[in-house]
Amino acid sequence: MTATTLTATSPLSTTSKALAGLKCKECGAQYEAKATHVCELCFGPLEVRYDYEHIKRTVTRETIAAGPNSIWRYKAFLPVETDTPIDVGTGMTPLLKANRLARRLGLKNLYIKNDAVNMPTLSFKDRVVSVALTRAVELGFTTVSCASTGNLANSTAAIAAHAGLDCCVFIPSDLESGKVLGTLIYNPIVMAVHGNYDQVNRLCSEVANTHGWGFVNINLRPYYSEGSKTLGYEVIEQLGWELPDHIVAPLASGSLFTKIYKGFREFVEVGLVEDKDVRFSGAQAEGCNPIATAFKENRDFISPVKPNTIAKSIAIGNPADGVYALDIARKTNGNIEEVNDEEIVEGIKLLAETEGIFTETAGGTTIAVLKKLVEAGKINPDETTVVYITGNGLKTVEAVQDSAGQPMTIEPKLDAFERALERARTLDRLEWQQVMV
Amino acid sequence: MTVKVLIPTPLQKLTQDKATVECEGTTIADMVESLEAQCPGIKARLCDESGKLRRFVNFYLNSEDIRFLENEATELSDGDEVSIVPAIAGG
Protein backbone atom coordinates (compact mmCIF):
# COMPACT_ATOMS: atom_id res chain seq x y z
CA MET A 1 0.00 0.00 0.00
CA THR A 2 1.21 3.49 -0.76
CA ALA A 3 -0.02 6.99 -0.05
CA THR A 4 -1.53 7.22 -3.50
CA THR A 5 -4.01 4.47 -2.67
CA LEU A 6 -5.56 6.53 0.13
CA THR A 7 -8.89 7.85 -1.07
CA ALA A 8 -11.50 10.16 0.39
CA THR A 9 -15.06 8.94 0.41
CA SER A 10 -18.39 10.54 1.21
CA PRO A 11 -20.11 9.16 4.29
CA LEU A 12 -23.64 7.89 3.77
CA SER A 13 -26.50 8.28 6.21
CA THR A 14 -28.42 5.32 7.55
CA THR A 15 -30.25 4.38 10.73
CA SER A 16 -31.52 1.10 12.15
CA LYS A 17 -34.25 0.35 14.64
CA ALA A 18 -32.01 0.34 17.72
CA LEU A 19 -29.56 2.98 16.46
CA ALA A 20 -31.71 6.10 16.61
CA GLY A 21 -29.13 8.80 15.81
CA LEU A 22 -26.70 11.09 17.62
CA LYS A 23 -27.35 13.56 20.42
CA CYS A 24 -25.24 16.32 21.99
CA LYS A 25 -24.32 15.44 25.58
CA GLU A 26 -24.38 19.12 26.50
CA CYS A 27 -27.32 20.83 24.77
CA GLY A 28 -29.34 17.83 23.56
CA ALA A 29 -29.34 18.80 19.85
CA GLN A 30 -29.99 15.76 17.67
CA TYR A 31 -28.17 14.63 14.54
CA GLU A 32 -28.29 11.82 12.02
CA ALA A 33 -25.98 8.87 12.61
CA LYS A 34 -23.27 10.19 10.26
CA ALA A 35 -19.51 10.59 10.66
CA THR A 36 -19.56 13.59 12.98
CA HIS A 37 -18.51 14.01 16.57
CA VAL A 38 -19.19 17.53 17.83
CA CYS A 39 -22.33 19.58 18.18
CA GLU A 40 -22.51 22.38 15.62
CA LEU A 41 -24.26 24.60 18.16
CA CYS A 42 -22.16 24.29 21.34
CA PHE A 43 -19.19 22.04 20.41
CA GLY A 44 -20.29 19.47 22.99
CA PRO A 45 -19.49 15.81 22.23
CA LEU A 46 -22.09 13.74 20.37
CA GLU A 47 -23.29 10.43 21.72
CA VAL A 48 -25.27 7.62 20.11
CA ARG A 49 -28.99 7.39 20.89
CA TYR A 50 -30.74 4.03 21.00
CA ASP A 51 -34.31 2.87 21.13
CA TYR A 52 -34.12 0.99 24.42
CA GLU A 53 -37.74 -0.17 24.17
CA HIS A 54 -36.82 -1.95 20.96
CA ILE A 55 -33.77 -3.53 22.63
CA LYS A 56 -35.83 -4.54 25.65
CA ARG A 57 -38.32 -6.37 23.44
CA THR A 58 -35.69 -8.29 21.49
CA VAL A 59 -32.77 -9.02 23.86
CA THR A 60 -32.64 -11.46 26.79
CA ARG A 61 -29.82 -13.08 28.76
CA GLU A 62 -30.41 -16.17 26.63
CA THR A 63 -30.13 -14.37 23.28
CA ILE A 64 -26.87 -12.81 24.46
CA ALA A 65 -25.46 -16.12 25.71
CA ALA A 66 -26.35 -17.73 22.36
CA GLY A 67 -24.34 -15.08 20.48
CA PRO A 68 -20.70 -15.23 19.39
CA ASN A 69 -17.90 -15.49 21.96
CA SER A 70 -16.88 -11.88 21.30
CA ILE A 71 -18.14 -8.33 21.83
CA TRP A 72 -20.67 -8.94 19.07
CA ARG A 73 -22.86 -10.97 21.43
CA TYR A 74 -23.91 -7.45 22.56
CA LYS A 75 -24.50 -6.15 19.02
CA ALA A 76 -27.98 -4.87 19.90
CA PHE A 77 -26.27 -2.32 22.20
CA LEU A 78 -23.63 -1.27 19.67
CA PRO A 79 -24.01 1.44 16.99
CA VAL A 80 -23.88 -0.72 13.88
CA GLU A 81 -26.50 -2.04 11.49
CA THR A 82 -24.81 -4.87 9.60
CA ASP A 83 -25.38 -8.55 10.30
CA THR A 84 -21.71 -9.20 9.57
CA PRO A 85 -19.59 -6.92 11.80
CA ILE A 86 -15.80 -7.17 11.75
CA ASP A 87 -15.30 -9.99 14.26
CA VAL A 88 -11.68 -10.89 14.98
CA GLY A 89 -12.50 -12.53 18.30
CA THR A 90 -12.39 -9.28 20.24
CA GLY A 91 -13.71 -9.33 23.79
CA MET A 92 -14.89 -11.99 26.25
CA THR A 93 -11.52 -11.75 27.98
CA PRO A 94 -11.08 -13.51 31.33
CA LEU A 95 -12.56 -12.15 34.54
CA LEU A 96 -10.13 -13.63 37.04
CA LYS A 97 -10.79 -14.01 40.78
CA ALA A 98 -7.54 -12.50 42.05
CA ASN A 99 -7.18 -14.30 45.37
CA ARG A 100 -3.42 -13.90 45.83
CA LEU A 101 -3.41 -10.19 45.02
CA ALA A 102 -6.49 -9.78 47.23
CA ARG A 103 -4.74 -11.44 50.18
CA ARG A 104 -1.64 -9.30 49.66
CA LEU A 105 -3.80 -6.16 49.80
CA GLY A 106 -6.25 -7.30 52.47
CA LEU A 107 -9.28 -7.67 50.21
CA LYS A 108 -11.71 -10.58 49.94
CA ASN A 109 -13.57 -10.24 46.64
CA LEU A 110 -11.19 -8.89 44.04
CA TYR A 111 -11.49 -9.58 40.31
CA ILE A 112 -9.24 -8.65 37.40
CA LYS A 113 -10.85 -7.99 34.01
CA ASN A 114 -7.90 -8.98 31.88
CA ASP A 115 -7.81 -7.10 28.57
CA ALA A 116 -4.04 -7.63 28.44
CA VAL A 117 -5.09 -10.69 26.44
CA ASN A 118 -7.74 -9.06 24.29
CA MET A 119 -7.63 -9.95 20.59
CA PRO A 120 -6.06 -9.20 18.20
CA THR A 121 -3.60 -6.64 19.63
CA LEU A 122 -3.65 -7.21 23.39
CA SER A 123 -5.42 -4.11 24.64
CA PHE A 124 -8.99 -2.91 25.24
CA LYS A 125 -8.62 -0.75 22.13
CA ASP A 126 -9.57 -3.76 19.99
CA ARG A 127 -13.11 -3.33 21.33
CA VAL A 128 -13.51 0.28 20.25
CA VAL A 129 -11.74 -0.24 16.93
CA SER A 130 -13.85 -3.29 15.99
CA VAL A 131 -16.93 -1.13 16.44
CA ALA A 132 -15.45 1.97 14.75
CA LEU A 133 -14.25 0.13 11.66
CA THR A 134 -17.50 -1.79 11.29
CA ARG A 135 -19.29 1.56 11.34
CA ALA A 136 -16.66 3.10 9.03
CA VAL A 137 -17.44 0.46 6.39
CA GLU A 138 -21.18 1.08 6.82
CA LEU A 139 -20.64 4.80 6.31
CA GLY A 140 -18.64 4.20 3.12
CA PHE A 141 -15.10 5.01 4.26
CA THR A 142 -12.24 3.21 2.55
CA THR A 143 -9.41 4.82 4.56
CA VAL A 144 -9.25 4.83 8.34
CA SER A 145 -6.95 6.71 10.67
CA CYS A 146 -6.34 7.64 14.30
CA ALA A 147 -4.29 9.69 16.73
CA SER A 148 -2.76 7.27 19.20
CA THR A 149 -0.52 6.79 22.20
CA GLY A 150 0.30 3.35 20.77
CA ASN A 151 -2.37 0.80 21.61
CA LEU A 152 -4.98 2.43 19.39
CA ALA A 153 -2.53 2.55 16.49
CA ASN A 154 -1.77 -1.17 16.94
CA SER A 155 -5.44 -2.01 16.92
CA THR A 156 -6.50 0.27 14.08
CA ALA A 157 -3.69 -0.98 11.83
CA ALA A 158 -4.37 -4.65 12.60
CA ILE A 159 -8.14 -4.61 12.22
CA ALA A 160 -7.92 -2.39 9.12
CA ALA A 161 -5.57 -4.99 7.62
CA HIS A 162 -8.08 -7.74 8.37
CA ALA A 163 -10.94 -5.71 6.91
CA GLY A 164 -8.98 -4.63 3.82
CA LEU A 165 -9.15 -0.91 4.64
CA ASP A 166 -6.38 1.56 3.87
CA CYS A 167 -4.86 2.94 7.06
CA CYS A 168 -2.77 5.93 8.14
CA VAL A 169 -1.99 6.39 11.84
CA PHE A 170 -0.43 9.25 13.82
CA ILE A 171 1.66 8.65 16.96
CA PRO A 172 4.02 10.73 19.12
CA SER A 173 7.59 10.09 17.93
CA ASP A 174 8.82 9.03 21.41
CA LEU A 175 6.62 5.95 21.85
CA GLU A 176 7.91 2.63 23.20
CA SER A 177 9.53 0.62 20.39
CA GLY A 178 7.19 -2.34 20.88
CA LYS A 179 4.20 -0.16 20.19
CA VAL A 180 5.77 1.33 17.06
CA LEU A 181 6.77 -2.08 15.67
CA GLY A 182 3.38 -3.46 16.66
CA THR A 183 1.84 -0.94 14.28
CA LEU A 184 4.37 -1.01 11.43
CA ILE A 185 4.06 -4.77 10.99
CA TYR A 186 0.53 -4.40 9.60
CA ASN A 187 1.91 -2.08 6.90
CA PRO A 188 -0.14 1.08 7.38
CA ILE A 189 1.31 4.54 6.79
CA VAL A 190 2.69 5.65 10.17
CA MET A 191 3.26 9.34 10.94
CA ALA A 192 5.54 9.75 13.99
CA VAL A 193 4.92 13.33 15.07
CA HIS A 194 7.46 15.40 17.01
CA GLY A 195 5.23 16.32 19.93
CA ASN A 196 3.10 14.84 22.71
CA TYR A 197 -0.20 13.07 22.25
CA ASP A 198 -2.24 16.25 22.63
CA GLN A 199 -0.28 17.82 19.78
CA VAL A 200 -0.78 14.71 17.64
CA ASN A 201 -4.48 14.90 18.39
CA ARG A 202 -4.69 18.55 17.35
CA LEU A 203 -2.90 17.81 14.08
CA CYS A 204 -5.28 14.93 13.38
CA SER A 205 -8.29 17.18 13.95
CA GLU A 206 -6.91 19.50 11.32
CA VAL A 207 -6.25 16.59 8.94
CA ALA A 208 -9.74 15.19 9.60
CA ASN A 209 -11.17 18.50 8.38
CA THR A 210 -9.61 18.11 4.99
CA HIS A 211 -9.02 14.49 3.93
CA GLY A 212 -12.35 12.73 4.25
CA TRP A 213 -10.88 9.79 6.15
CA GLY A 214 -12.59 7.94 8.95
CA PHE A 215 -10.65 8.89 12.09
CA VAL A 216 -11.75 6.36 14.67
CA ASN A 217 -11.29 8.72 17.61
CA ILE A 218 -12.36 11.93 15.86
CA ASN A 219 -15.21 11.88 13.34
CA LEU A 220 -16.11 8.24 14.20
CA ARG A 221 -15.72 8.84 17.92
CA PRO A 222 -19.41 8.55 18.88
CA TYR A 223 -19.38 4.99 17.49
CA TYR A 224 -15.83 4.08 18.52
CA SER A 225 -16.28 5.00 22.18
CA GLU A 226 -19.39 2.83 22.48
CA GLY A 227 -17.16 -0.26 22.11
CA SER A 228 -15.90 0.28 25.66
CA LYS A 229 -19.37 -0.43 27.01
CA THR A 230 -18.67 -4.11 26.37
CA LEU A 231 -16.20 -4.01 29.30
CA GLY A 232 -19.24 -3.28 31.45
CA TYR A 233 -21.50 -5.88 29.86
CA GLU A 234 -18.93 -8.67 30.07
CA VAL A 235 -18.23 -8.08 33.76
CA ILE A 236 -21.97 -8.27 34.53
CA GLU A 237 -22.36 -11.50 32.55
CA GLN A 238 -19.16 -13.04 33.96
CA LEU A 239 -20.21 -12.23 37.55
CA GLY A 240 -23.34 -14.31 36.92
CA TRP A 241 -25.54 -11.41 35.79
CA GLU A 242 -24.72 -9.18 38.75
CA LEU A 243 -23.19 -5.75 39.11
CA PRO A 244 -19.98 -5.40 41.14
CA ASP A 245 -19.81 -3.03 44.14
CA HIS A 246 -16.75 -1.08 43.05
CA ILE A 247 -14.67 -0.74 39.89
CA VAL A 248 -11.18 0.72 39.46
CA ALA A 249 -10.09 1.74 35.95
CA PRO A 250 -7.37 3.88 34.37
CA LEU A 251 -8.20 7.41 33.24
CA ALA A 252 -6.70 8.84 30.06
CA SER A 253 -9.34 10.73 28.05
CA GLY A 254 -11.96 9.51 30.55
CA SER A 255 -13.95 7.79 27.81
CA LEU A 256 -13.44 4.17 28.96
CA PHE A 257 -14.55 5.07 32.50
CA THR A 258 -17.74 6.77 31.35
CA LYS A 259 -18.61 3.97 28.94
CA ILE A 260 -18.25 1.22 31.57
CA TYR A 261 -20.75 3.28 33.58
CA LYS A 262 -23.04 3.60 30.56
CA GLY A 263 -22.82 -0.16 29.93
CA PHE A 264 -23.88 -0.92 33.50
CA ARG A 265 -26.79 1.54 33.35
CA GLU A 266 -28.03 0.21 30.00
CA PHE A 267 -28.22 -3.37 31.29
CA VAL A 268 -30.20 -2.10 34.29
CA GLU A 269 -32.48 -0.04 32.04
CA VAL A 270 -33.45 -2.96 29.80
CA GLY A 271 -33.90 -5.29 32.76
CA LEU A 272 -30.92 -7.60 32.19
CA VAL A 273 -29.45 -7.02 35.67
CA GLU A 274 -30.80 -5.91 39.04
CA ASP A 275 -29.85 -2.36 39.96
CA LYS A 276 -27.47 -1.52 42.76
CA ASP A 277 -24.97 1.20 43.58
CA VAL A 278 -21.56 0.75 41.96
CA ARG A 279 -18.65 2.95 43.02
CA PHE A 280 -16.35 4.16 40.25
CA SER A 281 -12.71 4.93 41.08
CA GLY A 282 -10.16 6.19 38.56
CA ALA A 283 -6.38 5.93 38.26
CA GLN A 284 -3.95 8.49 36.86
CA ALA A 285 -0.19 8.90 36.81
CA GLU A 286 1.27 11.75 38.84
CA GLY A 287 3.04 12.92 35.67
CA CYS A 288 -0.28 13.35 33.87
CA ASN A 289 -3.00 13.98 36.43
CA PRO A 290 -5.47 16.62 35.17
CA ILE A 291 -8.56 14.66 36.25
CA ALA A 292 -7.13 13.60 39.64
CA THR A 293 -6.16 17.21 40.36
CA ALA A 294 -9.63 18.52 39.51
CA PHE A 295 -11.13 15.80 41.74
CA LYS A 296 -8.93 16.74 44.70
CA GLU A 297 -9.47 20.45 44.24
CA ASN A 298 -13.22 19.92 43.98
CA ARG A 299 -13.34 21.64 40.59
CA ASP A 300 -15.85 20.85 37.84
CA PHE A 301 -13.48 21.83 35.03
CA ILE A 302 -10.19 20.34 33.87
CA SER A 303 -6.99 22.36 33.51
CA PRO A 304 -4.76 20.72 30.89
CA VAL A 305 -1.24 19.57 31.81
CA LYS A 306 1.90 18.67 29.85
CA PRO A 307 2.49 14.95 30.41
CA ASN A 308 5.73 13.59 31.86
CA THR A 309 5.30 9.97 32.91
CA ILE A 310 6.34 6.45 31.91
CA ALA A 311 2.62 5.67 31.59
CA LYS A 312 2.49 6.92 28.01
CA SER A 313 -0.67 5.06 27.06
CA ILE A 314 -2.67 7.20 29.51
CA ALA A 315 -0.65 10.41 29.06
CA ILE A 316 -3.43 12.65 27.78
CA GLY A 317 -2.96 16.14 29.20
CA ASN A 318 -6.20 17.50 27.74
CA PRO A 319 -8.78 14.77 28.39
CA ALA A 320 -11.96 15.27 26.36
CA ASP A 321 -14.19 13.24 28.68
CA GLY A 322 -12.47 14.37 31.88
CA VAL A 323 -15.46 16.32 33.19
CA TYR A 324 -17.77 13.35 32.69
CA ALA A 325 -15.35 11.00 34.47
CA LEU A 326 -15.15 13.48 37.37
CA ASP A 327 -18.92 13.60 37.61
CA ILE A 328 -19.25 9.80 37.69
CA ALA A 329 -16.55 9.35 40.36
CA ARG A 330 -18.27 11.95 42.54
CA LYS A 331 -21.85 10.83 42.13
CA THR A 332 -20.99 7.15 42.75
CA ASN A 333 -18.97 7.95 45.89
CA GLY A 334 -15.76 6.78 44.22
CA ASN A 335 -12.30 8.34 44.15
CA ILE A 336 -9.68 9.48 41.65
CA GLU A 337 -6.12 8.92 42.78
CA GLU A 338 -2.66 9.30 41.28
CA VAL A 339 0.64 7.43 41.68
CA ASN A 340 4.23 8.18 40.69
CA ASP A 341 6.37 6.30 38.15
CA GLU A 342 8.08 4.20 40.84
CA GLU A 343 4.72 3.09 42.20
CA ILE A 344 3.57 2.29 38.65
CA VAL A 345 6.53 -0.09 38.15
CA GLU A 346 5.80 -1.67 41.56
CA GLY A 347 2.18 -2.07 40.47
CA ILE A 348 3.22 -3.92 37.30
CA LYS A 349 5.46 -6.24 39.34
CA LEU A 350 2.86 -6.84 42.04
CA LEU A 351 0.23 -7.97 39.52
CA ALA A 352 2.75 -10.18 37.74
CA GLU A 353 4.05 -11.81 40.95
CA THR A 354 0.65 -12.45 42.48
CA GLU A 355 -1.59 -13.23 39.52
CA GLY A 356 0.63 -14.11 36.58
CA ILE A 357 -0.54 -11.15 34.51
CA PHE A 358 2.04 -8.93 32.80
CA THR A 359 0.41 -5.57 32.21
CA GLU A 360 1.72 -2.35 30.73
CA THR A 361 2.15 0.95 32.53
CA ALA A 362 -1.57 1.83 32.49
CA GLY A 363 -2.26 -1.42 34.34
CA GLY A 364 0.59 -0.70 36.75
CA THR A 365 -1.00 2.66 37.44
CA THR A 366 -4.35 1.03 38.12
CA ILE A 367 -2.93 -1.63 40.47
CA ALA A 368 -0.87 1.00 42.32
CA VAL A 369 -3.96 3.17 42.75
CA LEU A 370 -5.93 0.13 43.95
CA LYS A 371 -3.25 -0.43 46.61
CA LYS A 372 -3.30 3.22 47.61
CA LEU A 373 -7.09 3.26 47.92
CA VAL A 374 -7.04 0.10 50.07
CA GLU A 375 -4.36 1.57 52.33
CA ALA A 376 -6.43 4.74 52.71
CA GLY A 377 -9.48 2.69 53.73
CA LYS A 378 -11.37 3.71 50.60
CA ILE A 379 -12.19 0.18 49.48
CA ASN A 380 -14.27 -2.04 51.74
CA PRO A 381 -12.53 -5.47 51.93
CA ASP A 382 -15.86 -7.24 51.45
CA GLU A 383 -16.87 -5.27 48.35
CA THR A 384 -16.88 -7.11 45.03
CA THR A 385 -14.19 -5.00 43.38
CA VAL A 386 -13.32 -5.28 39.69
CA VAL A 387 -10.03 -3.84 38.43
CA TYR A 388 -9.74 -3.21 34.71
CA ILE A 389 -6.37 -4.16 33.20
CA THR A 390 -6.41 -2.67 29.73
CA GLY A 391 -3.06 -3.47 28.08
CA ASN A 392 -0.17 -5.92 27.81
CA GLY A 393 3.27 -5.51 29.41
CA LEU A 394 5.20 -6.95 26.48
CA LYS A 395 4.50 -3.69 24.64
CA THR A 396 6.24 -1.50 27.24
CA VAL A 397 9.26 -3.52 28.34
CA GLU A 398 11.27 -0.30 28.65
CA ALA A 399 9.28 0.56 31.76
CA VAL A 400 10.45 -2.45 33.76
CA GLN A 401 13.62 -3.71 32.13
CA ASP A 402 15.87 -2.13 34.77
CA SER A 403 13.86 -3.36 37.72
CA ALA A 404 12.77 -6.87 36.80
CA GLY A 405 16.22 -8.38 37.45
CA GLN A 406 18.33 -10.59 35.21
CA PRO A 407 18.50 -14.32 34.62
CA MET A 408 21.22 -16.20 36.50
CA THR A 409 23.91 -17.06 34.02
CA ILE A 410 25.60 -20.38 34.75
CA GLU A 411 27.87 -22.95 33.13
CA PRO A 412 26.08 -26.10 31.88
CA LYS A 413 27.16 -28.06 34.96
CA LEU A 414 25.16 -29.53 37.83
CA ASP A 415 27.34 -27.99 40.55
CA ALA A 416 27.04 -24.54 38.96
CA PHE A 417 23.29 -24.92 39.05
CA GLU A 418 23.34 -26.05 42.71
CA ARG A 419 25.51 -23.11 43.75
CA ALA A 420 23.32 -20.67 41.83
CA LEU A 421 20.16 -22.11 43.35
CA GLU A 422 21.63 -21.78 46.84
CA ARG A 423 22.51 -18.17 46.23
CA ALA A 424 19.11 -17.47 44.68
CA ARG A 425 17.49 -18.66 47.87
CA THR A 426 19.75 -16.78 50.26
CA LEU A 427 20.81 -13.54 48.63
CA ASP A 428 19.15 -10.53 47.18
CA ARG A 429 19.08 -11.49 43.52
CA LEU A 430 19.39 -8.07 41.98
CA GLU A 431 22.83 -7.48 43.49
CA TRP A 432 24.59 -10.53 42.09
CA GLN A 433 22.50 -12.00 39.31
CA GLN A 434 24.59 -10.45 36.62
CA VAL A 435 27.71 -12.20 37.90
CA MET A 436 28.52 -15.61 36.47
CA VAL A 437 28.14 -18.16 39.27
CA MET B 1 -2.10 42.18 13.61
CA THR B 2 -3.24 39.85 10.85
CA VAL B 3 -3.48 36.19 11.81
CA LYS B 4 -4.60 33.05 10.00
CA VAL B 5 -7.43 31.16 11.75
CA LEU B 6 -8.03 27.45 11.02
CA ILE B 7 -11.77 26.70 11.11
CA PRO B 8 -12.99 23.19 12.06
CA THR B 9 -15.55 21.43 9.86
CA PRO B 10 -18.55 22.00 12.18
CA LEU B 11 -18.08 25.80 11.83
CA GLN B 12 -17.36 25.96 8.12
CA LYS B 13 -21.05 26.51 7.29
CA LEU B 14 -20.54 29.95 8.87
CA THR B 15 -17.38 30.69 6.89
CA GLN B 16 -18.78 29.91 3.43
CA ASP B 17 -17.00 26.52 3.62
CA LYS B 18 -13.60 28.17 4.04
CA ALA B 19 -11.14 26.19 6.19
CA THR B 20 -9.06 29.29 6.95
CA VAL B 21 -10.01 32.90 7.59
CA GLU B 22 -7.72 35.94 7.94
CA CYS B 23 -8.51 37.95 11.08
CA GLU B 24 -7.32 41.11 12.79
CA GLY B 25 -6.66 41.55 16.49
CA THR B 26 -4.07 42.02 19.20
CA THR B 27 -5.48 39.26 21.42
CA ILE B 28 -7.51 36.06 21.02
CA ALA B 29 -10.59 37.94 22.30
CA ASP B 30 -10.09 40.63 19.59
CA MET B 31 -9.62 37.94 16.99
CA VAL B 32 -12.96 36.35 17.91
CA GLU B 33 -14.66 39.73 17.38
CA SER B 34 -12.94 40.10 14.00
CA LEU B 35 -14.09 36.60 13.06
CA GLU B 36 -17.66 37.46 14.11
CA ALA B 37 -17.61 40.62 11.94
CA GLN B 38 -16.72 38.50 8.90
CA CYS B 39 -18.82 35.45 9.78
CA PRO B 40 -21.88 36.58 11.76
CA GLY B 41 -23.07 34.01 14.28
CA ILE B 42 -19.73 32.30 14.83
CA LYS B 43 -19.05 33.95 18.20
CA ALA B 44 -22.16 32.40 19.72
CA ARG B 45 -20.77 28.98 18.78
CA LEU B 46 -17.39 29.65 20.35
CA CYS B 47 -18.48 31.53 23.47
CA ASP B 48 -21.19 30.95 26.06
CA GLU B 49 -23.80 33.49 27.18
CA SER B 50 -21.28 35.25 29.44
CA GLY B 51 -18.84 35.68 26.55
CA LYS B 52 -16.28 33.15 27.81
CA LEU B 53 -14.91 30.49 25.46
CA ARG B 54 -16.97 27.29 25.71
CA ARG B 55 -15.35 24.47 27.66
CA PHE B 56 -15.30 22.05 24.74
CA VAL B 57 -13.49 24.44 22.40
CA ASN B 58 -9.71 24.47 22.26
CA PHE B 59 -7.70 27.37 20.84
CA TYR B 60 -4.08 26.86 19.81
CA LEU B 61 -1.71 29.70 19.01
CA ASN B 62 1.08 28.39 16.79
CA SER B 63 0.41 24.87 18.17
CA GLU B 64 0.33 25.92 21.85
CA ASP B 65 -2.90 25.57 23.84
CA ILE B 66 -3.88 29.10 24.95
CA ARG B 67 -4.66 27.73 28.42
CA PHE B 68 -0.87 27.40 28.83
CA LEU B 69 -0.60 31.06 27.73
CA GLU B 70 -2.97 33.85 28.79
CA ASN B 71 -6.30 32.33 27.63
CA GLU B 72 -8.46 34.93 25.84
CA ALA B 73 -5.93 37.66 26.69
CA THR B 74 -3.13 35.85 24.84
CA GLU B 75 -1.41 38.41 22.59
CA LEU B 76 -1.08 37.86 18.84
CA SER B 77 1.66 38.81 16.39
CA ASP B 78 1.51 39.34 12.63
CA GLY B 79 1.52 36.05 10.78
CA ASP B 80 0.46 33.92 13.75
CA GLU B 81 -1.69 30.87 13.14
CA VAL B 82 -4.65 30.23 15.44
CA SER B 83 -6.28 26.81 15.29
CA ILE B 84 -9.78 26.19 16.66
CA VAL B 85 -10.23 22.53 17.59
CA PRO B 86 -13.16 20.77 19.21
CA ALA B 87 -12.20 18.65 22.21
CA ILE B 88 -11.25 15.15 21.14
CA ALA B 89 -10.22 11.90 22.76
CA GLY B 90 -8.02 8.95 22.03
CA GLY B 91 -5.31 6.79 23.53
Side-chain angles (χ1 to χ4, degrees), chain A residues 40 43 152 205-206 209 306 320, chain B residues 9 45 57 64 83 88 90-91:
Chain A
E40 292 178 12
F43 270 7
L152 180 57
S205 287
E206 292 164 0
N209 284 340
K306 298 202 171 177
Chain B
T9 308
R45 306 291 180 84
V57 183
E64 180 67 290
S83 186
I88 38 186

Side-chain angles (χ1 to χ4, degrees), chain A residues 384-404:
Chain A
T384 297
T385 300
V386 175
V387 176
Y388 284 90
I389 295 300
T390 52
N392 193 297
L394 289 172
K395 294 191 192 184
T396 59
V397 290
E398 293 92 335
V400 289
Q401 65 190 4
D402 293 332
S403 55

Side-chain angles (χ1 to χ4, degrees), chain B residues 39-56:
Chain B
C39 313
I42 201 165
K43 186 181 173 187
R45 306 291 180 84
L46 299 174
C47 303
D48 62 19
E49 294 74 16
S50 67
K52 288 189 71 77
L53 293 178
R54 291 184 187 275
R55 63 177 178 165
F56 288 102

Side-chain angles (χ1 to χ4, degrees), chain A residues 26 37-38 40-45 125 147-149 152 197 201-202 205-206 209 217 221 224 253 300 302 304-306 316 318 320 323-324, chain B residues 6-13 19 44-46 54-58 60 62-65 67-68 81 83-91:
Chain A
E26 291 292 299
H37 68 301
V38 287
E40 292 178 12
L41 301 178
C42 74
F43 270 7
K125 291 294 184 187
S148 174
T149 58
L152 180 57
Y197 173 75
N201 220 353
R202 178 188 54 75
S205 287
E206 292 164 0
N209 284 340
N217 57 333
R221 185 172 178 235
Y224 154 92
S253 73
D300 61 1
I302 307 284
V305 302
K306 298 202 171 177
I316 298 182
N318 184 16
V323 289
Y324 300 121
Chain B
L6 306 188
I7 307 292
T9 308
L11 288 180
Q12 289 178 11
K13 283 179 190 164
R45 306 291 180 84
L46 299 174
R54 291 184 187 275
R55 63 177 178 165
F56 288 102
V57 183
N58 299 308
Y60 297 88
N62 300 328
S63 301
E64 180 67 290
D65 191 323
R67 286 172 293 183
F68 292 117
E81 184 175 277
S83 186
I84 302 174
V85 177
I88 38 186

Side-chain angles (χ1 to χ4, degrees), chain A residues 321-393:
Chain A
D321 280 314
V323 289
Y324 300 121
L326 263 183
D327 180 50
I328 288 170
R330 285 184 179 135
K331 75 183 179 192
T332 63
N333 200 25
N335 289 280
I336 297 176
E337 194 47 89
E338 63 191 56
V339 287
N340 64 33
D341 285 356
E342 198 175 315
E343 292 171 305
I344 292 168
V345 171
E346 288 306 311
I348 294 173
K349 291 167 67 178
L350 178 61
L351 183 64
E353 289 167 12
T354 55
E355 295 298 340
I357 295 171
F358 183 16
T359 184
E360 60 146 87
T361 47
T365 305
T366 308
I367 293 295
V369 163
L370 170 73
K371 182 167 181 278
K372 205 164 176 175
L373 291 175
V374 173
E375 287 167 357
K378 291 175 177 171
I379 292 183
N380 179 337
D382 293 316
E383 285 181 325
T384 297
T385 300
V386 175
V387 176
Y388 284 90
I389 295 300
T390 52
N392 193 297

Side-chain angles (χ1 to χ4, degrees), chain A residues 31 54 112 135 151 156 257 293 300 312 328 415 424 431:
Chain A
Y31 297 86
H54 174 76
I112 302 289
R135 188 64 185 153
N151 281 322
T156 302
F257 198 72
T293 302
D300 61 1
K312 293 178 182 173
I328 288 170
D415 67 332
E431 288 179 13

